[in-house]
């Protein structure tokens, strides 16, 4: 069964097409990821699906409800963890959760039961009476994810759930999300611009400038590259490029301050570079296919380079 | 359409925030007292009163009006605050109607204001005004109406604003003229004709007038200036229109 169905979705802000004809489905129990640089249209898509944002044309359904006509029904069946922190700092952890429970019309007894249960799951049971302003970034994140799950939503939306966290905390949050999924079986729709995080998804849609440019499992995305990526730095990239083409019939891509070449067996190819290339080679490195390479292959740019600084304005 | 549990928890949150921010609590209690003492006792001998109330007594209804004005307007800052700090989205994504959120904010602003105003009634006997239980109940009723009118106005304005700075600028442009044109410090009749009409669209003016009806029944030339039913009618109509408009704006803007 499809939990999310999106068809030809378009949303523009003035002249910017934030979402440009996006189509995808998410099936029950799946973890589905949107991977793309800042400004790609991930948050806009999530906001549309969560009924917080209108759109220009297309169709969006969540749990069988229309995101425009049945927005209350959509909202009662989903949980959302926003890109930015949306806790009340003045309130304690317990009070924040209680606020949520009552907004979802739970009885006092049920609310207390669920709060106790979820605080234990996220390991914050001893912080229940602490004001959120005293929490670390990671603790706030855990509390927000807990809050998103309190009303047992059918789908949990996570918008960049690890943004701004240190690597240690990031991996803790992921471990936590996968444990939750295991125990609750919730469908998860998440966005990220960290490649390594996208690996936990069952399927990934790579999104760039409002368009989905690939949508498959991480495994098949990587195998679509058919080979390892070899990065070389030379004293003259232009000449090296020509040589590679003439001698090996390989097309190299210019990435940053070097060249990237995709070959079947990287470890056997590297010695040949030194044998055959007349252009002095300064350094060589090799990587098994990763999502980063998939992204580079599809868009011709690194995901980090693709972040336009000017677009990182805070979102209301 | 309305979710009562949601309204309850929105109000509960505003009260918790109010009582946890000590600075806010102290200012809202200290400000009216400072006005009463400094302005009231400063003018009491300057202003020649033929009969009835003296000047300190005269400004008490106005100071109660001022307290309600400030508390109500600045309680609606929470809408802007919640938008700035993202908490508004937690409310918007919940399965409750927008009207529910507006009503929740309206009730909390009103209740906080009435609470503050009621504290000031303690001052009445101290400055020599006799008030009985019936007067207190009447005052609570009128204070609720006035607080509702001003909170709904504040909500309406706040629902357009996205920054706390903008809120402060705009509210100061609204709040101070509203106060000075309310008959709080001098009878509205004393104002030049050119600006008197502004008083007639000022809900606080009718509110303060209603307070004078209760607190200064024999106030001489300083007592209420309009019939009580006019006061009630205007304030009530104003609240209903503004509540409706804020709900509308909330529905449209997200
Ligand atoms: N409220 C807004 N007003 C104008 N432009 C916006 C607004 N929100 C997003 N955008 C623009 O839409 C594009 C997509 O943004 P967003 O969905 O936030 O991307 P992401 O979440 O992938 O970083 C960006 O170019 C961004 O600048
Ligand atoms: Mg985003």
């Amino acid at each position: 069964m499809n939990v999310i169905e999106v068809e030809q979705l378009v949303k523009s802000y003035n002249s910017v097409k934030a979402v440009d004809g996006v189509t995808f489905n998410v099936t029950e129990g799946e973890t589905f990821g949107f991977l793309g640089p800042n400004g790609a249209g991930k948050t806009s898509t999530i906001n549309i699906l969560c009924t917080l944002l209108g759109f220009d044309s297309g169709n969006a359904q969540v749990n069988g409800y229309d995101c425009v006509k049945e927005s209350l029904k959509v909202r009662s069946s989903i949980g959302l963890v926003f890109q930015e922190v949306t806790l009340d700092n003045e309130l304690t952890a317990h009070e924040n959760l209680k606020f949520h429970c009552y907004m979802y019309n739970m009885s006092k007894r049920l609310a207390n039961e669920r709060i106790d249960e979820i605080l234990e799951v996220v390991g914050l049971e001893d912080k229940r009476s602490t004001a959120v302003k005293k929490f670390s970034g990671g603790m706030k994140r855990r509390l927000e994810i807990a809050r998103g799950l309190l009303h047992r939503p059918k789908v949990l939306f996570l918008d960049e759930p690890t943004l701004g966290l240190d690597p240690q905390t990031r991996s803790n949050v992921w471990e936590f999300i996968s444990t939750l999924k295991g125990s609750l079986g919730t469908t998860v729709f998440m966005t990220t611009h960290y490649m390594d995080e996208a690996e936990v998804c069952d399927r990934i849609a790579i999104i760039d400038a409002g368009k989905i440019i690939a949508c498959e499992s991480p495994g098949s995305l990587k195998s679509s590259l058919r080979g390892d990526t070899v990065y070389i730095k030379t004293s003259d990239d232009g000449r090296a490029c020509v040589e590679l083409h003439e001698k090996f019939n390989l097309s190299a891509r210019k990435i940053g301050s070097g060249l990237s070449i995709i070959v079947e067996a990287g470890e056997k190819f590297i010695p040949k570079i030194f044998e055959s290339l007349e252009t002095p080679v300064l350094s060589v490195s090799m990587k098994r296919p990763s999502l980063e390479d998939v992204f580079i292959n599809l868009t011709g740019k690194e995901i980090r380079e693709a972040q336009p600084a000017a677009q990182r304005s805070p979102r209301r | 359409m309305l979710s009562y549990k949601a309204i309850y928890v929105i109000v509960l949150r505003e009260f918790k925030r109010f009582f946890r921010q000590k600075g806010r609590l102290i200012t809202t209690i200290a400000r009216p007292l400072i006005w009463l003492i400094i302005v009231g006792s400063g003018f009491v001998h300057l202003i020649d009163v033929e009969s009835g109330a003296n000047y300190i007594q005269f400004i008490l209804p106005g100071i109660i009006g001022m307290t309600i004005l400030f508390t109500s307007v600045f309680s609606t800052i929470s809408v802007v605050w919640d938008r700035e700090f993202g908490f508004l989205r937690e409310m918007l994504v919940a399965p409750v109607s927008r009207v529910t959120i507006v009503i929740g904010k309206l009730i909390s602003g009103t209740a906080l204001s009435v609470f503050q105003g009621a504290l000031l009634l303690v001052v009445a006997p101290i400055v020599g005004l006799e008030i009985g239980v019936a007067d207190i109940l009447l005052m609570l009723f009128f204070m609720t109406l006035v607080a509702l009118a001003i909170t709904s106005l504040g909500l309406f304005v706040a629902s357009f604003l996205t920054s706390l700075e903008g809120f402060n600028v705009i509210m100061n442009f609204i709040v101070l003229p509203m106060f000075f044109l309310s008959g709080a410090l001098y009878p509205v009749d004393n104002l030049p004709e050119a600006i008197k009409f502004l008083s007639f669209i000022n809900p606080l003016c009718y509110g303060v007038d209603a307070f004078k009806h209760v607190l200064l029944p024999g106030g001489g030339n300083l007592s209420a200036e309009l019939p009580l039913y006019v006061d009630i009618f205007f304030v009530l109509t104003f609240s209903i229109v503004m509540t409706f408009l804020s709900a509308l704006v909330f529905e449209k803007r997200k």
Side-chain angles (χ1 to χ4, degrees):
Chain A
M1 199 199 107
N2 282 343
V3 173
I4 303 177
E5 288 188 19
V6 174
E7 219 180 302
Q8 288 303 320
L9 198 65
V10 177
K11 165 75 195 173
S12 26
Y13 299 98
N14 307 318
S15 58
V16 183
K17 264 204 173 161
V19 181
D20 191 1
V22 160
T23 301
F24 65 92
N25 293 323
V26 178
T27 55
E28 197 164 0
E30 194 177 17
T31 299
F32 187 87
F34 251 28
L35 174 68
N38 266 340
K42 305 183 296 293
T43 300
S44 300
T45 309
I46 278 208
N47 284 347
I48 289 171
L49 292 176
C50 295
T51 81
L52 292 176
L53 187 67
F55 50 92
D56 308 335
S57 64
N59 251 318
Q61 282 193 357
V62 173
N63 292 314
Y65 303 119
D66 188 278
C67 290
V68 180
K69 292 186 206 114
E70 298 165 297
S71 59
L72 275 183
K73 283 184 180 154
V74 170
R75 291 212 294 272
S76 50
S77 67
I78 60 168
L80 170 56
V81 177
F82 296 94
Q83 183 172 332
E84 68 276 21
V85 178
T86 61
L87 295 161
D88 187 332
N89 276 325
E90 297 288 327
L91 300 186
T92 65
H94 184 267
E95 286 165 340
N96 267 289
L97 298 180
K98 182 177 157 189
F99 185 91
H100 187 89
C101 288
Y102 280 35
M103 288 301 274
Y104 287 76
N105 205 23
M106 283 182 214
S107 71
K108 190 173 178 177
R109 235 190 76 208
L110 183 62
N112 280 329
E113 248 174 60
R114 293 264 176 96
I115 292 173
D116 288 345
E117 181 191 285
I118 206 84
L119 278 176
E120 201 167 314
V121 175
V122 296
L124 291 172
E125 64 268 42
D126 53 331
K127 298 280 181 216
R128 56 185 294 136
S129 310
T130 308
V132 168
K133 63 182 162 206
K134 297 196 183 128
F135 279 28
S136 68
M139 283 156 70
K140 284 186 186 172
R141 253 326 185 200
R142 263 148 59 202
L143 186 62
E144 288 201 299
I145 295 170
R147 185 178 68 177
L149 288 166
L150 271 175
H151 55 287
R152 303 266 161 90
K154 292 213 186 91
V155 201
L156 182 65
F157 289 89
L158 298 162
D159 196 2
E160 311 230 10
T162 55
L163 195 72
L165 299 181
D166 59 86
Q168 172 78 35
T169 320
R170 268 174 59 191
S171 66
N172 286 346
V173 168
W174 279 115
E175 219 166 278
F176 169 60
I177 292 173
S178 24
T179 330
L180 280 184
K181 259 200 72 73
S183 55
L184 296 176
T186 319
T187 309
V188 175
F189 179 103
M190 51 155 271
T191 73
T192 181
H193 68 264
Y194 295 117
M195 294 293 169
D196 47 336
E197 296 190 341
E199 308 258 359
V200 305
C201 297
D202 298 321
R203 272 191 312 145
I204 304 169
I206 294 185
I207 177 166
D208 189 33
K211 288 195 166 84
I212 292 182
I213 46 182
C215 181
E216 267 167 284
S217 71
S220 42
L221 277 174
K222 279 186 277 188
S223 62
S224 73
L225 282 181
R226 279 185 301 270
D228 302 329
T229 307
V230 176
Y231 292 101
I232 59 172
K233 283 189 178 163
T234 64
S235 55
D236 181 350
D237 286 345
R239 216 173 90 209
C241 223
V242 174
E243 272 192 84
L244 281 165
H245 187 72
E246 282 171 357
K247 293 184 176 142
F248 302 102
N249 196 21
L250 284 170
S251 55
R253 259 173 192 282
K254 193 154 168 45
I255 302 289
S257 59
L259 295 172
S260 128
I261 315 145
I262 294 171
V263 289
E264 244 163 64
E267 66 276 12
K268 296 204 179 108
F269 176 67
I270 290 173
K272 289 193 205 151
I273 297 178
F274 289 103
E275 280 167 23
S276 329
L277 243 51
E278 275 154 37
T279 318
V281 177
L282 304 176
S283 74
V284 178
S285 61
M286 185 197 92
K287 252 176 42 195
R288 298 290 177 205
S290 72
L291 283 175
E292 185 96 38
D293 305 314
V294 177
F295 189 86
I296 291 170
N297 191 40
L298 287 169
T299 64
K301 60 193 173 192
E302 278 182 74
I303 197 157
R304 302 294 140 140
E305 294 172 10
Q307 296 177 23
Q311 290 184 346
R312 254 178 275 141
S313 62
R315 194 74 10 86
R316 301 273 126 86
Chain B
M1 188 67 174
L2 289 184
S3 160
Y4 299 104
K5 237 185 205 128
I7 293 178
Y8 163 75
V9 81
I10 291 172
V11 174
L12 184 68
R13 164 173 178 252
E14 296 294 337
F15 270 78
K16 280 186 175 153
R17 288 181 62 100
F18 183 83
F19 286 105
R20 275 177 205 175
Q21 293 169 344
K22 294 291 177 299
R24 214 169 135 198
L25 195 61
I26 292 166
T27 346
T28 40
I29 291 176
R31 182 167 38 215
L33 295 179
I34 290 170
W35 273 80
L36 264 179
I37 295 164
I38 296 180
V39 180
S41 57
F43 281 111
V44 73
H45 298 297
L46 259 181
I47 291 169
D48 190 26
V49 190
E50 292 151 29
S51 64
N54 69 31
Y55 191 70
I56 297 195
Q57 293 170 340
F58 167 73
I59 62 168
L60 183 62
I63 297 300
I64 293 179
M66 177 188 82
T67 304
I68 290 178
L69 175 68
F70 275 93
T71 316
S72 284
V73 162
F74 285 95
S75 75
T76 62
I77 200 175
S78 74
V79 174
V80 184
W81 193 273
D82 285 350
R83 181 172 285 135
E84 183 132 328
F85 291 93
F87 195 79
L88 187 64
R89 325 188 83 218
E90 152 77 354
M91 289 190 255
L92 291 178
V93 83
V96 300
S97 60
R98 306 298 184 228
V99 182
T100 301
I101 299 172
V102 170
I103 302 268
K105 291 283 185 186
L106 198 58
I107 293 179
S108 30
T110 305
L112 282 173
S113 271
V114 173
F115 168 76
Q116 305 268 312
L119 286 183
L120 274 176
L121 287 179
V122 177
V123 179
I126 301 175
V127 300
L129 289 172
E130 279 176 35
I131 51 167
V133 178
D135 298 326
I136 292 178
L137 292 180
L138 263 182
M139 276 303 285
L140 287 177
F141 174 65
F142 292 141
M143 286 193 293
T144 309
L145 288 187
V146 177
L148 205 58
I150 304 204
T151 313
S152 57
L153 172 69
L155 266 185
F156 176 66
V157 177
S159 49
F160 287 102
L161 302 175
T162 47
S163 79
L164 293 171
E165 259 168 81
F167 180 88
N168 281 325
V169 172
I170 292 201
M171 286 311 182
N172 279 318
F173 272 108
I174 293 178
V175 164
L176 289 180
M178 269 178 85
F179 175 53
F180 288 117
L181 295 172
S182 69
L185 299 177
Y186 32 78
V188 175
D189 210 34
N190 294 6
L191 288 169
E193 289 300 324
I195 52 172
K196 204 190 264 180
F197 78 96
L198 285 173
S199 295
F200 292 128
I201 52 165
N202 179 2
L204 189 63
C205 180
Y206 297 86
V208 169
D209 198 66
F211 298 163
K212 287 180 190 166
H213 273 287
V214 183
L215 294 176
L216 307 171
N221 60 344
L222 288 181
S223 52
E225 297 170 81
L226 294 164
L228 190 56
Y229 69 88
V230 174
D231 296 335
I232 297 177
F233 177 77
F234 186 91
V235 172
L236 211 53
T237 315
F238 188 89
S239 320
I240 293 169
V241 172
M242 279 302 158
T243 305
F244 181 75
L245 288 179
S246 345
L248 211 66
V249 177
F250 238 78
E251 198 73 46
K252 291 266 175 297
R253 281 185 51 110
K254 288 183 177 172

